Amino acid sequence: MTANDEWLQRYSDSMLGVFGTPPLVHSHGEGCYVWDVDGRRYLDLVGGIAVNALGHGHPALVSAVSKQAGEALHVSNLFTSPGQILLAERLLQVSAAPAGSRVFFANSGTEAIEAAIKLARRTGRTGIVAAEHAFHGRTTGALALTHKAAYREPFEPLLPGVTHVPYDDPDALRLAVDSGTSAVVLEPVQGEAGVIEPAVEFLREAREITRAAGALLIIDEIQTGIGRTGEWFGFQHAGIVPDAITVAKGLGGGVPTGALITFGPEVSALLTAGQHGTTFGGNPLAAAAGLAVLGAIEDEGLLAHARTMGEHLAAQVAQAAVPHVTGVRGQGLLRAITLDSPISVAVASVARAAGFIINPVAPQVIRLAPPLVIQAEQLDSFVAALPQIVQEATA
């Protein structure tokens, strides 16, 4: 029995089985690579599902977190810290939020969505419109916005008043939004659905529809934010100003954190003292991590790098003309390799054996969300291995 097998047995004996049994036990990482407990190395093309924006062991993040751990980890929400304020200011800057905008810090994406739901309820309306195939989290409020029946049905009845409409369908959205709608909640790219990218006009029309109805437009940037699509946030590709965005995943580079950013004074005034809170949100450690991540992305030019590497990947896959691979879609370094049959699980398994970590997010879709620091030669090593991987997966 390998060390990996022994640890997985202990995992099964001690962990609640909500994830099933994972295939690997990781011991450590460096850059875009991770190692398992048996010493095998893998190119990490998932990045903790878009979390490890700077990869593993990035010097700026290690230094900031180590320094902060020696100073203060937690100060409670009875007080604040310079780091919390600095990170809020930085998020307002990179999101190009107008004057009067504000930040609420949480610990995760689903908590940021919960805050967004409460923000929407403060409009005095109760209806929320979300998209079919959307994923917004698994807490009960966020789950009401999430569309997948298998996630929802065991826990119904959920939060009432939520309507789902087809994604990238402005006509359906227009019919669903009325005077009882508090908010429309949309992902700029649907990551969990298989990296589904709408027409650029869709978010623009959603902005017009919500504004006309007096409803909020809340953009879920949990997976698409912090440089993942080649801009700081996915909504920026459409050139709109939303009423609020939710942020998490890549913001902490691996340290749990999340945020709700409200745009403008009117929306920012909806939640007042005592109406929401958190024990750990915006703690000094998470704030230090967030500042380090944002600083490194800017200093190393990783927004442009994400765009370049994403385009490079798509071009290399197209040039390779791999049987059963039908294309690449997505933005920046949030990409999907599409397949002509439901073989993604088999492809991911063979890829793992070959030293590559990829995500079979849908039966005919492989999702890639590698660290933003990934280099062309690393992507090329995967593309070079892809024909053999697919051949073995379909044998």
Side-chain angles (χ1 to χ4, degrees):
M1 180 178 286
T2 65
N4 194 75
D5 292 337
E6 292 176 2
W7 278 110
L8 289 179
Q9 183 59 58
R10 293 171 66 176
Y11 177 97
S12 298
D13 292 342
S14 61
M15 296 287 289
L16 196 65
V18 294
F19 297 110
T21 301
L24 293 178
V25 181
H26 287 169
S27 64
H28 66 286
E30 181 180 344
C32 295
Y33 295 96
V34 293
W35 283 259
D36 68 19
V37 290
D38 289 313
R40 292 188 295 259
R41 191 184 79 164
Y42 306 83
L43 181 61
D44 182 4
L45 294 168
V46 179
I49 312 182
V51 168
N52 299 106
L54 302 182
H56 305 272
H58 190 284
L61 183 55
V62 170
S63 176
V65 169
S66 300
K67 180 177 183 293
Q68 190 59 55
E71 296 176 354
L73 295 175
H74 180 70
V75 297
S76 91
N77 58 21
L78 299 174
F79 307 96
T80 189
S81 66
Q84 185 182 81
I85 298 165
L86 288 169
L87 182 56
E89 292 174 341
R90 191 78 175 95
L91 284 171
L92 293 174
Q93 180 186 36
V94 299
S95 63
S101 301
R102 297 291 186 267
V103 177
F104 169 80
F105 285 113
N107 308 287
S108 66
T110 196
E111 289 181 46
I113 289 289
E114 293 290 335
I117 291 171
K118 292 179 77 172
L119 180 80
R121 282 292 184 94
R122 286 291 295 142
T123 64
R125 304 179 182 187
T126 58
I128 297 177
V129 178
E132 293 177 1
H133 308 296
F135 182 86
H136 297 289
R138 295 177 185 259
T139 51
T140 54
L143 190 58
L145 275 60
T146 295
H147 183 252
K148 190 173 181 178
Y151 294 160
R152 297 165 52 87
E153 290 175 354
F155 307 102
E156 292 176 339
L158 298 170
L159 182 76
V162 177
T163 301
H164 289 91
V165 300
Y167 189 60
D168 197 17
D169 187 337
D171 293 332
L173 183 63
R174 187 173 289 106
L175 288 173
V177 175
D178 58 26
S179 60
T181 303
S182 66
V184 171
V185 183
L186 296 170
E187 300 160 273
V189 178
Q190 289 191 321
E192 294 294 321
V195 191
I196 306 300
E197 183 182 1
V200 69
E201 292 80 13
F202 177 57
L203 289 185
R204 295 172 184 168
E205 293 191 67
R207 176 68 287 184
E208 295 173 4
I209 291 165
T210 51
R211 184 176 286 121
L216 303 181
L217 177 61
I218 300 173
I219 303 298
D220 182 342
E221 294 279 1
I222 292 164
Q223 188 165 156
T224 52
I226 316 301
R228 176 56 49 190
T229 67
E231 297 287 351
W232 282 112
F233 297 102
F235 77 85
Q236 291 171 329
H237 291 279
I240 64 167
V241 179
D243 294 301
I245 63 174
T246 55
V247 187
K249 286 191 179 289
L251 177 59
V255 175
T257 190
L260 170 71
I261 304 176
T262 56
F263 283 61
E266 185 176 348
V267 176
S268 298
L270 289 174
L271 283 172
T272 58
Q275 292 184 338
H276 198 46
T278 174
T279 296
F280 296 105
N283 67 76
L285 185 71
L291 286 166
V293 169
L294 296 179
I297 289 174
E298 183 172 56
D299 293 344
E300 298 177 24
L302 295 182
L303 297 183
H305 184 73
R307 294 193 294 270
T308 300
M309 289 299 98
E311 292 163 3
H312 177 82
L313 173 68
Q316 291 300 105
V317 172
Q319 183 177 330
V322 181
H324 302 291
V325 171
T326 57
V328 178
R329 64 187 181 218
Q331 297 175 337
L333 283 171
L334 179 59
R335 294 283 172 166
I337 296 176
T338 55
L339 307 164
D340 65 4
S341 55
I343 58 173
S344 65
V345 172
V347 170
S349 178
V350 175
R352 188 167 57 249
F356 302 96
I357 294 177
I358 59 178
N359 176 221
V361 70
Q364 294 182 222
V365 183
I366 294 292
R367 174 174 53 177
L368 305 179
L372 303 183
V373 296
I374 199 161
Q375 298 300 310
E377 57 267 25
Q378 294 170 320
L379 293 171
D380 291 347
S381 71
F382 169 66
V383 176
L386 190 57
Q388 183 65 29
I389 289 170
V390 173
Q391 181 179 338
E392 290 185 27
T394 54

